[in-house]
Amino acid sequence: MIITIDGPAGAGKSTVARELAKRLGYRFLDTGAMYRAVAWAALQNQVDLNDEVAIGKLIEAIRLEVGEGWIRVNDVDVTEAIRSTDVTAAVRHVADNPTVRTYLSAEQQRLAGDGDIVTEGRDQGTFVFPQAEHKIFLTATPEERARRRQEQLQRHGSAPTLSEILDQQNQRDYQDAHRPVGRLVKADDAIEIISDGMEIDQVLDRIVELLEN
Ligand code: DC
């Protein structure tokens, strides 16, 4: 069975998808990490981020391996490195690239195979797995997402203001919603959960309840 969880940045998709997979004994696929790994490779190889053709060639030249909680590019473990601010800033160039999207979408379908999986991203229920049995669109208001992000950053010792976070988040939301291919949109048959005021466990309970009905 395939369960897709799509939604904007900061809605808690990764944690929810990982925990849901654990509860159900399913595999878990973080597709954002795949886009981030290609962006990491582009930076590493000094590929011009505005050169669509060069980025398209890069994806064919690198070897991407994805597991539960780790990701490698050409045998280099980039699990931590893909979370850097440089990669976060570069990733939209990769995510907007049609060749990259075609390649990674096919790879995601191959990885899912016919097994049980919870897959998380922006286009999983719409484009990559339109046939998925269960689709969740997990979101939260911009203010709630920014507040959560601020708490997370504070725990890591950095202290941007809420309005700085909101500005960046608005930019990412805009990019996600306007990308030429694979844009973030709720699938017609997805169930929307707005997680404002909900703990992770409450979101999980709600999803499990939906799966049982
Ligand atoms: O969820 P994330 O922040 O790790 O995603 C990284 C980037 O990749 C983000 O800019 C959105 C993009 N992305 C995408 O276009 N399609 C996906 N299925 C997953 C992520």
Side-chain angles (χ1 to χ4, degrees):
M1 179 152 81
I2 296 177
I3 302 172
T4 61
I5 303 187
D6 290 304
K13 294 186 306 295
S14 293
T15 315
V16 167
R18 188 176 299 113
E19 288 300 316
L20 180 67
K22 214 186 281 174
R23 270 203 202 185
L24 300 173
Y26 283 21
R27 284 179 299 135
F28 159 64
L29 183 63
D30 172 359
T31 61
M34 299 170 82
Y35 286 93
R36 285 174 177 273
V38 180
W40 177 89
L43 293 175
Q44 195 72 8
N45 290 286
Q46 297 178 353
V47 174
D48 178 356
L49 292 173
N50 294 306
D51 187 339
E52 208 176 294
V53 175
I55 292 181
K57 280 189 181 149
L58 174 77
I59 184 85
E60 279 155 18
I62 59 174
R63 196 170 75 253
L64 202 63
E65 291 171 288
V66 195
E68 298 272 326
W70 60 264
I71 186 155
R72 283 200 286 261
V73 176
N74 294 342
D75 294 330
V76 179
D77 190 317
V78 296
T79 310
E80 298 294 325
I82 60 168
R83 303 291 158 193
S84 74
T85 48
D86 285 353
V87 169
T88 302
V91 70
R92 78 181 167 89
H93 296 277
V94 163
D96 284 351
N97 188 289
T99 310
V100 172
R101 293 209 81 88
T102 304
Y103 185 95
L104 290 187
S105 301
E107 185 62 7
Q108 288 153 17
Q109 288 163 348
R110 189 189 70 77
L111 286 165
D114 54 9
D116 293 326
I117 195 162
V118 179
T119 169
E120 173 255 304
R122 304 291 192 285
D123 59 350
Q124 299 296 288
T126 48
F127 184 72
V128 183
F129 300 107
Q131 81 289 9
E133 285 87 345
H134 294 283
K135 301 180 185 179
I136 308 292
F137 191 80
L138 182 62
T139 187
T141 56
E143 294 72 20
E144 171 84 8
R145 291 189 281 130
R147 252 195 312 275
R148 289 180 193 162
R149 180 78 187 131
Q150 191 181 40
E151 278 175 21
Q152 208 178 41
L153 288 170
Q154 280 168 350
R155 281 198 294 273
H156 289 90
S158 104
T161 65
L162 207 56
S163 76
E164 282 168 340
I165 296 175
L166 256 174
D167 277 353
Q168 277 186 8
Q169 187 180 274
N170 288 341
Q171 272 179 36
R172 292 189 70 194
D173 284 355
Y174 183 88
Q175 287 156 5
D176 278 348
H178 290 85
R179 109 169 359 109
V181 275
R183 74 176 60 93
L184 175 65
V185 59
K186 178 185 157 304
D188 290 340
D189 51 350
I191 291 177
E192 184 170 25
I193 298 178
I194 301 170
S195 67
D196 284 46
M198 290 171 88
E199 298 290 337
I200 295 290
D201 273 345
Q202 290 175 301
V203 176
L204 284 167
D205 288 346
R206 174 94 184 93
I207 296 176
V208 170
E209 192 184 298
L210 290 169
L211 301 182
E212 283 167 356
N213 290 319

